[in-house]
Amino acid sequence: MSAPIIAIDAMGGDFGPHCIVPASLDCLAESPSLHLALVGQSSVLEELVSRHKGVDRSRLLIVHAEEIIGMDEKPAQALRGKPQSSMRLALELVREGRAHACVSAGNTGALMALARLVLKTLPGVDRPAMMTAIPTREGTCLLLDLGANVDCSAEQLYQFGVMGSVAAQSLGIASPRVALLNVGTEDIKGNQQVKGASLLLQRARDLNYQGFIEGDGLFRGDADVAVCDGFVGNILLKSSEGLVQMVAWRAEALFRRSLMSRIVGALALPLLRQLRADLRPAQYNGASFLGLQGIVVKSHGAAGREGFRAAVRRATEDVRHNLPQRLHSRLEDLLVSQRSDNSGDDVTATGGSPSN
């Protein structure tokens, strides 16, 4: 395909353009084929860009946006009250074909609501899901949903499983192992939504469904795709990030406790540094919104420069793999036909709305 063009909501996140602009320019410098559109208050963006020498302005467009969506604003306010927000205009660049993807570190609920309004969902998809890769013993596992849908029906969990499988295939996994995150591996465990989703996934054609998986199995690498509602997924993701930081802190404190421990720590320091580098959350930052008629990647609101770079790279990879088209061709068969096959079954449950 042609050179990827990524639209950046430069005003979102906890640190706003003072973090996002330098991170975006880093990506521009490291990828000669990349083009970026920074969307936000043009005077602020121009001033920040001017601080960096050697920027290839032929690959950088600044699009002015009058309004900013706050991190604590309700999605309904963003939908109705701010038609000229940086987030909305970045999404509209994707809809108009002027960009291949949108990246934002802004309000999650607002981004989901605006993305559904501006880009629409793929046929057969009720709600998009947020997906990211988390580290396991041997590699990574794709986890979804991460917080866009705090309550999910069985049908929606089933859709997430199918979309996650397609996304894993785009990464080169021929037959991804799909599992439902649950409080146990036995069939009798779990709530009605999880049990219903399991029945639907068992019936899906050409889907390598493994059944239920617990949290420890996820980190062992027992599945390539782990499915849960956004309430569970968000807690799991944040807890795992906190655990990595706690273990690193405790290890450093232990090696400082005595002269002998400092000597041992000095010998172990290279391994500890490598472990921390392998597990640091920033390199896994960037959650793809699956199920939209366009590519949208959500960066963690508190992501720093390194983390936002990872989110832009995630969007670039999704563009390279043409993820929406892959999803559309696969979902059209699996989701629409499955819904027809199960039209008389009582396996669905009421879902909720996106979280902030």
Side-chain angles (χ1 to χ4, degrees):
M1 63 170 297
S2 58
I5 305 171
I6 311 297
I8 306 290
D9 170 17
M11 311 305 290
D14 295 348
F15 307 116
H18 294 279
C19 168
I20 291 172
V21 169
S24 300
L25 297 181
D26 289 344
C27 293
L28 203 65
E30 71 183 24
S31 179
S33 64
L34 180 66
H35 290 66
L36 296 179
L38 294 176
V39 185
Q41 296 175 345
S42 56
S43 59
V44 174
L45 301 183
E46 289 285 3
E47 195 276 329
L48 289 171
V49 170
S50 69
R51 299 179 187 178
H52 298 263
K53 306 303 180 184
V55 177
D56 185 355
R57 292 302 298 258
S58 68
R59 296 189 289 124
L60 179 66
L61 175 67
I62 291 180
V63 179
H64 181 64
E66 294 283 349
E67 299 166 324
I68 302 171
I69 294 174
M71 296 297 284
D72 59 349
E73 286 190 45
K74 295 185 181 300
Q77 293 175 327
L79 283 171
R80 296 193 296 265
K82 293 188 173 178
Q84 295 299 310
S85 70
S86 57
M87 184 184 290
R88 182 163 188 156
L89 294 185
L91 289 166
E92 289 180 351
L93 290 177
V94 178
R95 182 187 64 191
E96 295 164 2
R98 297 170 61 193
H100 299 109
C102 167
V103 179
S104 176
N107 182 311
T108 302
L111 182 62
M112 177 61 76
L114 283 169
R116 292 180 66 184
L117 175 71
V118 173
L119 299 177
K120 312 301 181 186
T121 57
L122 291 168
V125 175
D126 292 339
R127 296 179 185 170
M130 294 171 62
M131 180 198 74
T132 196
I134 60 171
T136 65
R137 283 185 186 176
E138 302 298 329
T140 60
C141 175
L142 298 181
L143 176 67
L144 69 166
D145 182 41
L146 299 178
N149 307 283
V150 295
D151 294 304
C152 296
S153 68
E155 171 72 18
Q156 288 155 0
L157 291 172
Y158 163 70
Q159 293 175 11
F160 297 169
V162 173
M163 292 191 292
S165 178
V166 174
Q169 287 175 333
S170 74
L171 299 177
I173 303 174
S175 182
R177 298 163 298 160
V178 179
L180 280 168
L181 194 61
N182 199 4
V183 296
T185 58
E186 301 87 352
D187 291 341
I188 61 172
K189 296 290 183 66
N191 57 31
Q192 291 304 311
Q193 292 93 326
V194 170
K195 292 177 181 178
S198 184
L199 292 175
L200 293 174
L201 288 165
Q202 288 173 23
R203 300 171 188 172
R205 297 188 295 272
D206 301 321
L207 191 73
N208 187 11
Y209 176 57
Q210 302 291 299
F212 296 142
I213 189 174
E214 295 180 275
D216 58 343
L218 186 153
F219 290 106
R220 277 198 307 268
D222 292 349
D224 301 303
V225 178
V227 177
C228 58
D229 64 47
F231 184 86
V232 172
N234 192 270
I235 292 175
L236 174 63
L237 181 67
K238 301 289 177 59
S239 298
S240 63
E241 292 173 353
L243 178 62
V244 169
Q245 294 169 359
M246 184 273 290
V247 170
W249 184 90
R250 291 287 292 269
E252 290 178 0
L254 183 64
F255 287 132
R256 292 194 301 265
R257 186 168 295 176
S258 66
L259 175 60
M260 182 58 68
S261 64
R262 286 196 292 271
I263 294 173
V264 173
L267 295 173
L269 188 59
L271 293 177
L272 288 173
R273 285 177 174 169
Q274 183 60 54
L275 180 62
R276 173 178 276 185
D278 290 343
L279 297 180
R280 68 186 186 277
Q283 68 173 321
Y284 298 100
N285 183 52
S288 301
F289 279 8
L290 299 184
L292 292 168
Q293 296 185 42
I295 295 170
V296 178
V297 171
K298 172 68 172 68
S299 168
H300 196 302
R305 188 165 173 171
E306 180 190 5
F308 197 83
R309 287 199 301 265
V312 175
R313 294 189 196 106
R314 173 74 271 148
T316 304
E317 284 299 297
D318 288 352
V319 171
R320 185 169 70 86
H321 293 299
N322 197 9
L323 195 53
Q325 184 56 45
R326 284 175 176 264
L327 285 169
H328 176 67
S329 60
R330 178 76 167 140
L331 295 173
E332 190 171 31
D333 174 44
L334 276 176
L335 293 184
V336 177
S337 63
Q338 184 78 8
R339 181 171 294 170
S340 175
D341 293 343
N342 295 289
S343 59
D345 293 342
D346 184 19
V347 295
T348 58
T350 303
S353 57
S355 67
N356 287 327

